[in-house]
Amino acid sequence: MDCLWHASVIALVLLFLGGSDANPAARRHGQLDVNHKKQPLQTSRPYNIAHRGSNGEIPEETSAAYLRAIEEGADFIETDILASKDGHLICFHDVTLENTTDIGNRTEFAARKRTYEVQGANMTGWFVVDFTLRELKSLRVKQRYDFRDQQYNWKYDILTFDEFILIALHADRVVGVYPEIKSPIFINQHVKWSGGKKFEDKFVETLLKYGYKGKYMSEDWLKKPLFIQSFAPTSLIYISNMTNAPKLLLIDETTVPTQDTNQSYYEITSNDYLTFIRKYVIGIGPWKDTIIPPENNHLGPATDLVARAHALNLQVHPYTFRNENKFLHFNFHQDPYAEYEYWVREIGVDALFTDFTGSLHKYQEWTTPHQKKEKKCRGTPA
C-alpha cells in the first residue's frame, strides 16, 4: 500500500472539509468539478462493490480501507450510515462501538454503557447515539476479525459521511458511492434534528449537497454514481419523494423479519411484494446464502429468487463475498475466484459486495475479454 499517496488524499479530503473539527459541514462542494476528464465508471460487467472498503485487509469503514479499495479497482465504495448524539452522520456498521473500536479501554466513557431495545431485542453496550461527533472522533478503529491483518489497528478514526463522499469524489477516476440507511428506526428514536427532520432527510440532504442525483444510467448518475440501500422498506419509500437516485432493498437471512414492517423473508421475496417494491427500488440485495442455501457447507439447490427478480427488471446485488476458507463453501475448493465465476456466470448477478475488492477486480480483468454476454442494464426506466 502506498502510504504517502493515502496520506496525501486524506489530507486533501480534510482540507476541503475545513479540517477535522467536530462540525464536518462542507463548503461549496456542489460546485467542485471533481469528475473533469476522469475515466468513467465501467458498466459492461457486474459492479465490484467494496463492502465497508477493502476491509479484508484494513479495518472497515476507514479512510485507508476506502482508498485501498479504489486503488484495487472498486466500482463502488460501500458504507453504513448512522448518527451521533449531536446529529452528525457517520460511517459505522454497528449501533454499538465495542466490536471495532477502543471504547472498552476508554475509562472516561465507562459510565456510558447502556441497554436499549434494538429490532425487538435488548442490547447492551456503548451506543453511537450516546456520543457526540467530537467524542466519536477521539476513538480509534480496529479490525473486526482476529484472523485478519491486525497491523492497522488503532491507526484510524471514524469517518463522517462527508469525508466518505469526498474520498470518492477526489479519486482519480469515477468511483460510485453505495451508502446504507442503517437502523433508521433506532436512530430516529434516539437522535432528534431541528425542524422535525428525520434521519432519512439528513441522509438525502447530504447526498444532494454533493450533487448526487439522477435515475440509474442517466447523465447525472454516470457523473456521480450512487446506489442507496436499506433493510427498511419504509425508509426507501419515504426518500423516493426526495431523490430519484436508484435504491435497493436489502434482504436479511430467512429467519429475520424486516426491522420496520415486521414482514417475513418469504413475504418480501414473493412475486406480489417484489412487484410492489419495484415502484421504489431498482433491485434487491440478498444475503447470498438465501439465494443458494448451503447444506453441510456445500451448495444446495438454487432458489428462483434471481430469476424472478430479473423477470421484474430488478437487479440483484448479493452480499458478502469473502476470501477466507471459513466463508467459502466446499464446492469452491478454497478458491475465491471459483466462487466469483459461479455467481457471475451461473447465477448471473448484477453486482457483488466483497471484502476483497482486489480479488474480484483481478477475476474480472482476467475473464472480461472472454465473456460473451453484455451486461444487461436492469433497473433502467422502461
Side-chain angles (χ1 to χ4, degrees), residues 64-334:
Y66 290 121
L67 291 168
R68 179 64 165 163
I70 293 169
E71 183 182 43
E72 291 180 329
D75 299 314
F76 288 82
I77 53 174
E78 187 265 355
T79 193
D80 306 277
I81 303 302
L82 294 170
S84 65
K85 180 179 181 179
D86 49 349
H88 294 292
L89 303 190
I90 62 167
C91 300
F92 202 75
H93 181 269
D94 301 352
V95 293
T96 56
L97 293 158
E98 55 267 25
N99 288 332
T100 56
T101 77
D102 59 352
I103 187 72
N105 298 325
R106 299 290 294 272
T107 56
E108 70 270 35
F109 297 138
R112 302 278 188 95
K113 205 169 190 179
R114 299 284 188 273
T115 298
Y116 292 133
E117 182 180 313
V118 182
Q119 293 179 224
N122 284 340
M123 180 182 293
T124 300
W126 288 274
F127 288 83
V128 296
V129 295
D130 291 326
F131 294 82
T132 66
L133 179 59
R134 188 178 296 277
E135 289 170 331
L136 291 171
K137 277 288 190 181
S138 75
L139 302 175
R140 291 298 175 264
V141 179
K142 73 176 184 73
Q143 175 60 252
R144 179 177 294 270
Y145 298 113
D146 59 10
F147 51 82
R148 289 180 173 171
D149 193 349
Q150 304 295 302
Q151 69 172 308
Y152 302 108
N153 289 353
W154 322 126
K155 294 179 182 289
Y156 305 105
D157 65 3
I158 294 173
L159 286 179
T160 65
F161 196 9
D162 294 80
E163 289 169 335
F164 166 81
I165 288 172
L166 286 175
I167 288 172
L169 291 180
H170 290 286
D172 59 2
R173 57 186 173 82
V174 175
V175 174
V177 295
Y178 207 130
E180 178 184 345
I181 303 173
K182 193 76 174 179
S183 301
I185 302 299
F186 179 80
I187 295 299
N188 280 317
Q189 286 174 342
H190 292 273
V191 182
K192 303 302 177 184
W193 286 272
S194 62
K197 289 186 177 181
K198 298 170 59 176
F199 177 37
E200 293 90 339
D201 296 313
K202 302 300 290 186
F203 179 97
V204 174
E205 283 178 8
T206 303
L207 292 167
L208 293 175
K209 177 174 65 176
Y210 290 97
Y212 284 91
K213 60 184 178 180
K215 293 182 178 181
Y216 182 59
M217 288 296 181
S218 67
E219 183 178 351
D220 285 332
W221 187 87
L222 288 169
K223 288 179 180 177
K224 294 180 179 179
L226 161 70
F227 287 112
I228 298 171
Q229 55 174 329
S230 184
F231 285 98
T234 54
S235 292
L236 297 172
I237 293 170
Y238 177 79
I239 67 168
S240 66
N241 293 321
M242 303 166 62
T243 175
N244 60 356
K247 307 160 192 71
L248 278 91
L249 175 64
L250 298 175
I251 300 174
D252 214 320
E253 59 181 300
T254 58
T255 59
V256 179
T258 54
Q259 59 187 254
D260 53 341
T261 58
N262 199 37
Q263 292 171 285
S264 72
Y265 167 87
Y266 300 99
E267 183 176 354
I268 64 173
T269 58
S270 68
N271 283 339
D272 285 346
Y273 190 81
L274 292 176
T275 299
F276 160 74
I277 201 65
R278 72 171 180 167
K279 292 181 289 186
Y280 306 100
V281 305
I282 70 157
I284 56 175
W287 180 41
K288 62 187 177 73
D289 279 0
T290 64
I291 297 174
I292 309 175
E295 299 175 356
N296 298 318
N297 204 31
H298 289 272
L299 294 175
T303 69
D304 62 354
L305 179 58
V306 173
R308 290 191 293 109
H310 283 171
L312 292 169
N313 200 35
L314 290 168
Q315 295 186 28
V316 181
H317 298 186
Y319 66 92
T320 302
F321 292 83
R322 299 179 168 108
N323 284 12
E324 291 97 350
N325 294 340
K326 67 182 299 176
F327 297 119
L328 291 168
H329 297 312
F330 292 143
N331 308 68
F332 302 122
H333 310 291
Q334 302 182 357

Side-chain angles (χ1 to χ4, degrees), residues 20-38:
S20 56
D21 188 81
N23 180 1
R27 301 176 180 88
R28 299 184 299 279
H29 297 305
Q31 284 71 51
L32 291 175
D33 187 15
V34 295
N35 288 328
H36 182 62
K37 295 183 179 179
K38 287 189 177 184

Side-chain angles (χ1 to χ4, degrees), residues 346-363:
E346 300 298 323
I347 305 302
V349 297
D350 305 286
L352 303 93
F353 287 81
T354 178
D355 285 2
F356 292 88
T357 309
S359 295
L360 177 54
H361 183 70
K362 288 177 181 176
Y363 163 77

